[in-house]
Amino acid sequence: MRDIIEMWKDTRMVVLTAVSAAVYAATIMPLKIIPIIPGFTEVRPGVVFAIFCSFLFGPAGAWGAAFGNLIADFFGTLTLGSIFGFFGNFLFGYIPYKMFRALTSSEPLPASRGQTLSILTAILGAAAACTFIIAWGVDAIGAVPFKILAPIIMANNSALSVFLVPILLATLYPRVKVWGLLYTSVLPEPLTRPSRFARFGVALTLIGAFGGLIAGLVIGYIQIPLPLPLSAVLAPFLLILLIGAILL
Amino acid sequence: MSEKLSPTPAIELRDVHFTYQGTQMPALNGISLAFLRGSFTVVMGPSGAGKTTLARCINGIVPKYYRGDFSGDVRLSDQSIGARTVPENAADVGMVFQDFESQIFSTDILLDLSFGPENLGHPPADILDRAREIMHSLHFEGMSDRDSTALSGGQKQRLAIASVLMMHTPIIVLDEPTTDLDPLSRIEILELLAVIRRSGRTVILIDHSPEVALSADRVIVLNAGEVVADGDPVTVFPAMLSMPMPGIRAPQLMDALRRLGIPPCPVTVAETEALIRNRYRVGSASGTRESESRTAIPEPAIRVEGVRFSYSSSRVLDGIDLMIGRGDFVALLGRNGSGKTTLAKHVNGILTPDEGQVWIGGMPVSGMSAGDLARSIGYVFQNPDHQLFCPRIREELEFGLRQGGIDKSEWDGRIESALEAVGLTGRETADPFMLTKGDRQRVAVASVLVMTPRIIVLDEPTTGLDHRDQLGMMALIERLNREGHTIVMITHSMTVAMQFAKRIVLMAGGRVIGDGDRSLFMRDELLVEAGLRRPPIADLSARFGWIASSVEEFVACVREGACGGEQP
Amino acid sequence: MMTVYRVRRGFLHGLSPVTKLMLLPGVFLLSLLSDDPFVLAGLTAGLIAVAVGSRLHGLVWSSRVILGLLFVFPAVMWTFMYQGMNGRGFMGIPGATTEGVLYGSAMGLRLVAMLVAGLLLLGSTRVEEIAWGLTRFGLPYRLSFALTLAFRLVPLFFETYRTIEEAQRSRGLDIRRSALERLRGVIPLLIPVFVAGLRRTDQLAVALEAKGFGRPGKRTSVVSRVMRAGDWIALAATVLLIVFFGVVRASL
């Protein structure tokens, strides 16, 4: 957790944040013209960059995803949803590298089955967490129901990523390493070490994200009558997810 | 000039050695230099000589940002910067870099000018006053809230320099600030430099042009991390003429004088003309000379008819008619925004004309698929990084073959001959991203050659390459032309166009304003319109009534006393 | 490139970025306080009046397509999905209820109001001013700077992306093929965009430090502004509106 604060002392990380954000924004913006749900989501092959930058630039990738999404909104679709977009995308960029480091100490390359599995787990965990937060928030303000937005964002976040991120990592990770721009070579070692409770954090994050998603969809589609708004019912999952992310 | 210089050095390097992390060869190998307050120094040398590393040492970027093995001492006003960080040196040393895009941090001009002084904690009222002054002297008046992304390359680089001037540093270091610019913008930057010199600051400029160096107080030549020449340009260059150094071009006028047996000294074009006329009888010309006479009109490879095209309401091409024959070698010249690249993109179907039609080998481009086009016309983009994406050179070449549906049995042969053509045989497994820019450019050309297109379009193939790589690239293009490929080359360099192209097309304002051989460069009004400036040797020969593309050609002609008359 | 900021001398341009950064969530909150489509229509109309007063109506008009979609989508969706107490039909359309139509229109107008408010902020405030405003609320300078730098770099990468697309198309990459081909087709686009960014990283960082970025000591800012009477009036008006509709809502 400390790394997302401490990284700001390094100018390289500041620039990597801006570069990640700009690349992300520039690749999601052109498609804003053909929205799936106007103002909230569109087809996003650019999401691949958010995850990919996370594996390479760590905390700079996390901030980059959050800023990139916000900047894409700055070009015309700034609403209250942007706030959830900011947090959702921050986790989208935060979870992959953290979860991967918690699962294995090897490099994020699809070289062995273990590495590939860890990469995929991290991608899906991040996609689910991001989806859950945004769909929860947008439902809470009454804009778009959870059951409609969640599947779209989840598909958007994960469908391309599970294929493309491993390919991109295989091609680019070794080069970025040579250029000395991996977060593990920019930041001092103590900041890149996983925390003691990291594995516990992985479990909580996955439970919170997937549990919340599934619960929200089940409630939405089976039409279970609720005494409270859906957002209140799902709030515990959000809490579990956030605690998990902090522990990573 | 020199009597005004005060004796305390502004900058002093004491026995500086530096080797970048992960490399073996030292970038700087025992450099000891002192730069006097208020002096103007030009640093030259082939690529890899250590010029940029030297510049980086002066404000601590080496070894504070780029790490490695450093020894020696760098002192500013007799204080060691050893313990200071790069931002702490910012109040003393202003730095201008080659890539103007990476030096602009704000969205409008005023804010960008303010960025440096804000970091130094200057009061906002002072900053705004100074900005007003600088915008006035740089012709940015009334543009303070202009979007910085909407500026031209030359304006961006001027902005980058201005925002460094805003910091009021006593020292300014400029690392090849004109490399990425067109000739007119380069001249603007050099004029700006003259202004800076008058302000009494210590200026260090890294530049390839000996003509610029002639106006400096001092020239330093680096090679392999060592100082190989240092002194007044009046003494350094004549010495260099008799003992040429690799990767450094001699001043053309001085070189011409020496080869003609006249003692070389720094002179203007008019003075050189007088010196030569004193010694040689050269008839003033009436006609023009051509590098190659053109015979019958060949079969057309490309035909452009009445093409008009607009980008979001601004007209970029305004009625282009052009016929390019099979086997021709056409150089397309003009200033940035004249429509050269837009025209080239119509030829390979990337853009579709609003009006008019483009034909390739008798077929309308609009009716051809991406695969068909890729097979008949190859396009090498300006920046090779925009084309390459595979981890190995071989895969890069296979990409085009696969897209073009070429039978697998042909792959090996095609790849082999493409690599051979660009001189990369045996490097199939190398990673394109780790090569030098010159070699990446070669891979980009090879990736086009595997498709064996009849026509090859190249956008600025020599920009950003050093002298040696430029010559290598041009030799390659010339050979492709000899082997029968039709070449269309966009370039800023008159020298390159004159030396290699068979035909020159000048563009301005979306129209063709001149089409012919190098004698076009005799016409001053065309050059002004196309934003070109003759290199010194062409300027000199123009006074004799023709256009020489190189010193050798000029000298040979003067010796024969046949200038302006028949071809040699 | 379609940046939203417009150089004008209007009412909103004269306000402090700090004020505008408070007005935006204020308007968001206002739009959440009512589910009544007529109240929300009034709010939207008020915002459009502000746009006209700030000479930003052109900007709002140029966003009419997205604004229209933003209204129509939830309006239609909720018309069918809203589960009200009495299921009175709407114009005989199967599945549609009058309550659904009203609620849907309210949701649509809520989004329209939010988007117009967002446009007003972005149209009247440069990103550097927003960043400065954010530092007044405690955001560290380096974070706010990363935001402005990213904003400045977007057009650059946008341009790069377009060039790369052209470059790959000229090598025979046909983007109009099947879904799987298209999926594979983005790799030759994404990798060069990314590499172009990386090649710039060191140059940007070095140029930044050379300009004194990160220098110890106080940094000044030419966009800094003090609060003036207009700022306080705008804030007070918004607070009054929020209190009024808050009380109305609580009393329902």
Side-chain angles (χ1 to χ4, degrees):
Chain A
M1 202 65 189
R2 210 155 55 89
D3 58 340
I4 61 172
I5 310 293
E6 293 285 319
M7 64 148 258
W8 289 101
K9 289 184 183 154
D10 188 287
T11 308
R12 259 194 200 90
M13 294 301 270
V14 174
V15 173
L16 284 174
T17 302
V19 167
S20 310
V23 171
Y24 188 35
T27 45
I28 55 185
M29 264 167 30
L31 295 159
K32 284 229 173 211
I33 324 158
I34 26 172
I36 299 177
I37 295 181
F40 291 99
T41 193
E42 57 280 322
V43 182
R44 286 190 161 201
V47 294
V48 172
F49 272 124
I51 299 184
F52 173 62
C53 289
S54 169
F55 281 117
L56 298 182
F57 310 137
W63 288 106
F67 283 177
N69 185 69
L70 183 65
I71 284 171
D73 284 350
F74 267 18
F75 283 84
T77 52
L78 190 62
T79 63
L80 194 54
S82 305
I83 296 174
F84 302 108
F86 185 88
F87 288 110
N89 276 281
F90 182 84
L91 281 189
F92 197 42
Y94 178 74
I95 290 174
Y97 79 96
K98 281 286 183 184
M99 207 179 252
F100 184 84
R101 287 286 278 183
L103 291 172
T104 163
S105 57
S106 55
E107 297 187 311
L109 285 165
S112 69
R113 190 188 294 178
Q115 279 164 296
T116 312
L117 259 165
S118 301
I119 292 175
L120 292 180
T121 311
I123 294 174
L124 290 173
C130 171
T131 306
F132 178 53
I133 288 195
I134 296 177
W136 181 87
V138 172
D139 184 274
I141 61 170
V144 185
F146 189 94
K147 66 173 180 179
I148 299 214
L149 194 55
I152 297 174
I153 300 187
M154 187 63 192
N156 239 337
N157 282 350
S158 51
L160 276 179
S161 308
V162 292
F163 289 105
L164 293 185
V165 171
I167 300 178
L168 287 173
L169 283 173
T171 317
L172 286 172
Y173 183 89
R175 294 165 175 173
V176 178
K177 190 176 174 186
V178 172
W179 289 333
L181 292 174
L182 295 176
Y183 77 103
T184 40
S185 38
V186 176
L187 292 178
E189 203 273 332
L191 287 181
T192 61
R193 222 182 294 141
S195 82
R196 249 187 314 149
F197 307 104
R199 296 220 163 181
F200 186 51
V202 173
L204 284 187
T205 307
L206 291 176
I207 292 169
F210 281 104
L213 262 186
I214 292 165
L217 290 176
V218 167
I219 293 170
Y221 280 99
I222 304 184
Q223 304 202 340
I224 300 171
L226 294 175
L228 293 165
L230 179 67
S231 47
V233 174
L234 295 180
F237 287 102
L238 190 66
L239 196 67
I240 295 173
L241 165 61
L242 293 179
I243 294 172
I246 290 168
L247 290 180
L248 277 176
Chain B
M1 196 78 201
S2 52
E3 64 274 9
K4 282 199 296 190
L5 308 177
S6 87
T8 7
I11 310 157
E12 201 185 348
L13 283 82
R14 291 185 185 165
D15 195 28
V16 171
H17 293 256
F18 183 72
T19 307
Y20 286 96
Q21 209 164 51
T23 62
Q24 310 297 316
M25 282 279 288
L28 293 181
N29 200 5
I31 301 274
S32 294
L33 287 168
F35 296 88
L36 294 183
R37 222 168 279 279
S39 64
F40 175 45
T41 308
V42 170
V43 179
M44 306 178 73
S47 74
K51 306 184 297 290
T52 295
T53 311
L54 172 67
R56 285 171 176 171
C57 283
I58 293 172
N59 72 345
I61 293 173
V62 160
K64 292 276 153 47
Y65 186 92
Y66 291 103
R67 286 158 199 277
D69 204 357
F70 183 91
S71 71
D73 193 14
V74 177
R75 307 177 77 83
L76 297 181
S77 301
D78 220 29
Q79 286 197 330
S80 174
I81 63 164
R84 289 154 67 177
T85 63
V86 180
E88 283 172 322
N89 290 323
D92 299 297
V93 185
M95 284 274 240
V96 178
F97 304 88
Q98 178 181 330
D99 179 33
F100 43 81
E101 293 286 7
S102 356
Q103 302 175 70
I104 295 175
F105 304 113
S106 311
T107 54
D108 76 24
I109 292 181
L110 179 67
L111 294 177
D112 201 63
L113 288 173
S114 311
F115 180 73
E118 286 176 339
N119 287 332
L120 300 182
H122 295 177
D126 288 4
I127 298 175
L128 293 173
D129 281 346
R130 226 181 293 156
R132 214 162 297 135
E133 225 169 88
I134 271 192
M135 280 191 278
H136 176 76
S137 59
L138 293 185
H139 313 296
F140 279 140
E141 283 149 314
M143 291 171 68
S144 64
D145 45 21
R146 178 77 68 87
D147 185 348
S148 56
T149 54
L151 302 177
S152 73
Q155 285 175 323
K156 280 180 182 165
Q157 189 62 290
R158 270 195 294 152
L159 175 59
I161 295 176
S163 55
V164 168
L165 289 178
M166 284 285 292
M167 295 166 70
H168 273 196
T169 55
I171 299 166
I172 292 189
V173 181
L174 305 100
D175 187 358
E176 304 201 32
T178 64
T179 306
D180 291 347
L181 301 179
D182 64 56
L184 207 71
S185 308
R186 174 173 158 84
I187 289 161
E188 285 172 1
I189 299 293
L190 294 176
E191 281 165 0
L192 179 54
L193 266 178
V195 177
I196 301 173
R197 281 183 71 180
R198 283 200 293 276
S199 69
R201 297 178 218 215
T202 311
V203 180
I204 298 175
L205 169 70
I206 299 175
D207 196 87
H208 284 299
S209 159
E211 280 77 23
V212 172
L214 278 175
S215 67
D217 299 321
R218 178 183 180 191
V219 177
I220 293 171
V221 182
L222 293 184
N223 194 21
E226 290 170 17
V227 175
V228 291
D230 180 2
D232 193 321
V234 180
T235 54
V236 168
F237 283 115
M240 223 164 75
L241 288 173
S242 41
M243 221 179 64
M245 275 171 245
I248 301 186
R249 191 167 60 76
Q252 286 186 325
L253 299 181
M254 285 169 76
D255 195 18
L257 287 177
R258 187 190 61 90
R259 285 168 194 250
L260 289 168
I262 302 169
C265 55
V267 280
T268 63
V269 175
E271 288 163 349
T272 315
E273 182 193 2
L275 286 171
I276 294 172
R277 286 198 191 279
N278 274 343
R279 189 75 167 272
Y280 292 85
R281 284 185 56 83
V282 192
S284 220
S286 48
T288 56
R289 297 161 57 88
E290 290 185 20
S291 50
E292 194 170 316
S293 59
R294 293 156 59 73
T295 47
I297 297 162
E299 201 184 334
I302 303 167
R303 212 167 82 222
V304 180
E305 276 179 7
V307 165
R308 283 172 213 278
F309 181 79
S310 304
Y311 269 123
S312 54
S313 83
S314 73
R315 173 143 297 177
V316 189
L317 294 182
D318 194 15
I320 302 270
D321 291 291
L322 194 65
M323 179 117 93
I324 294 173
R326 195 155 282 180
D328 211 342
F329 187 153
V330 177
L332 216 51
L333 281 92
R335 66 175 64 169
N336 286 340
S338 60
K340 301 171 304 223
T341 300
T342 310
L343 174 60
K345 284 178 181 170
H346 276 81
V347 170
N348 78 336
I350 290 176
L351 297 175
T352 320
D354 297 337
E355 274 176 57
Q357 181 74 276
V358 180
W359 308 74
I360 299 289
M363 287 260 287
V365 165
S366 51
M368 295 166 79
S369 73
D372 288 343
L373 276 166
R375 273 190 300 276
S376 46
I377 181 160
Y379 195 115
V380 181
F381 276 67
Q382 185 176 350
N383 185 346
D385 288 340
H386 290 167
Q387 255 170 306
L388 309 178
F389 65 95
C390 294
R392 289 193 176 72
I393 291 179
R394 189 186 164 89
E395 290 166 36
E396 202 66 66
L397 305 193
E398 286 176 352
F399 171 76
L401 297 172
R402 195 176 305 118
Q403 296 295 324
I406 307 286
D407 195 81
K408 269 209 166 156
S409 60
E410 288 182 39
W411 285 19
D412 281 342
R414 278 169 177 259
I415 289 172
E416 205 169 297
S417 53
L419 287 178
E420 198 192 322
V422 299
L424 288 173
T425 306
R427 307 279 301 273
E428 283 93 337
T429 57
D431 180 348
F433 288 76
M434 296 301 164
L435 303 175
T436 64
K437 181 154 187 204
D439 280 346
R440 294 207 298 282
Q441 191 70 274
R442 285 167 194 277
V443 177
V445 174
S447 75
V448 157
L449 285 181
V450 277
M451 303 300 291
T452 56
R454 307 282 287 270
I455 305 165
I456 299 175
V457 181
L458 303 108
D459 193 348
E460 308 257 0
T462 57
T463 300
L465 302 185
D466 73 4
H467 194 59
R468 197 177 0 191
D469 277 342
Q470 282 190 15
L471 289 180
M473 180 53 61
M474 287 317 301
L476 163 61
I477 296 170
E478 198 177 32
R479 199 174 64 241
L480 292 172
N481 180 241
R482 270 203 310 276
E483 287 164 4
H485 294 277
T486 307
I487 305 283
V488 178
M489 177 178 72
I490 298 172
T491 180
H492 282 315
S493 165
M494 281 173 77
T495 309
V496 164
M498 287 189 287
Q499 283 182 344
F500 299 96
K502 294 177 184 165
R503 177 178 165 198
I504 289 162
V505 173
L506 296 180
M507 287 188 70
R511 302 173 143 275
V512 173
I513 57 162
D515 183 351
D517 58 49
R518 68 165 90 147
S519 64
L520 284 175
F521 296 149
M522 283 295 291
R523 295 165 55 189
D524 289 340
E525 81 286 356
L526 279 185
L527 295 185
V528 171
E529 211 181 337
L532 297 169
R533 191 81 56 105
R534 280 191 288 260
I537 198 66
D539 222 13
L540 177 63
S541 60
R543 288 172 175 263
F544 293 92
W546 63 291
I547 296 287
S549 68
S550 66
V551 174
E552 289 81 356
E553 196 182 84
F554 177 77
V555 168
C557 175
V558 169
R559 283 192 182 285
E560 287 164 36
C563 290
E566 294 304 301
Q567 287 189 42
Chain C
M1 195 61 232
M2 57 304 180
T3 43
V4 179
Y5 178 69
R6 297 287 186 274
V7 184
R8 298 275 189 284
R9 287 189 192 283
F11 167 68
L12 284 173
H13 287 76
L15 293 182
S16 162
V18 173
T19 308
K20 285 183 270 188
L21 282 173
M22 289 194 274
L23 291 182
L24 183 71
V27 173
F28 286 172
L29 184 57
L30 261 181
S31 71
L32 290 174
L33 282 176
S34 175
D35 286 345
D36 183 334
F38 299 102
V39 171
L40 288 162
L43 176 64
T44 309
L47 288 168
I48 289 172
V50 175
V52 173
S54 303
R55 300 206 256 155
L56 288 171
H57 44 279
L59 173 65
V60 176
W61 177 245
S62 67
S63 307
R64 60 191 180 278
V65 176
I66 179 86
L67 285 169
L69 282 173
L70 215 50
F71 174 76
V72 168
F73 185 84
V76 170
M77 187 185 64
W78 286 110
T79 296
F80 296 98
M81 292 195 41
Y82 190 75
Q83 293 155 359
M85 295 300 129
N86 59 36
R88 205 145 54 84
F90 180 72
M91 290 173 73
I93 302 167
T97 61
T98 310
E99 273 186 318
V101 171
L102 288 176
Y103 185 76
S105 311
M107 289 304 110
L109 284 167
R110 175 180 285 169
L111 295 180
V112 169
M114 284 186 185
L115 193 73
V116 172
L119 284 174
L120 290 179
L121 170 71
L122 300 173
S124 66
T125 326
R126 286 172 293 186
V127 65
E128 285 84 356
E129 293 172 313
I130 293 178
W132 173 79
L134 290 171
T135 61
R136 305 299 294 167
F137 290 106
L139 188 75
Y141 171 68
R142 293 188 147 235
L143 268 84
S144 78
F145 174 76
L147 187 67
T148 49
L149 178 60
F151 195 82
R152 137 88 185 110
L153 291 177
V154 168
L156 195 67
F157 287 120
F158 211 63
E159 198 50 45
T160 311
Y161 186 78
R162 205 166 65 181
T163 312
I164 289 165
E165 208 187 340
E166 289 175 352
Q168 302 302 22
R169 205 137 44 93
S170 78
R171 290 175 73 189
L173 179 67
D174 200 338
I175 341 179
R176 291 159 295 189
R177 290 196 197 170
S178 70
L180 187 72
E181 284 287 320
R182 242 191 254 181
L183 188 68
R184 281 229 306 257
V186 295
I187 292 269
L189 301 180
L190 296 187
I191 290 182
V193 174
F194 186 75
V195 168
L198 283 191
R199 289 216 191 268
R200 281 233 156 85
T201 298
D202 275 330
Q203 295 169 19
L204 281 163
V206 163
L208 264 180
E209 294 207 344
K211 277 199 179 162
F213 177 78
R215 193 180 153 85
K218 197 166 160 44
R219 189 181 189 279
T220 53
S221 172
V222 294
V223 297
S224 59
R225 276 266 277 101
V226 289
M227 300 287 278
R228 300 194 196 117
D231 293 306
W232 296 115
I233 293 168
L235 284 175
T238 312
V239 169
L240 279 178
L241 280 172
I242 290 172
V243 170
F244 176 75
F245 283 103
V247 171
V248 169
R249 187 180 180 110
S251 63
L252 280 180

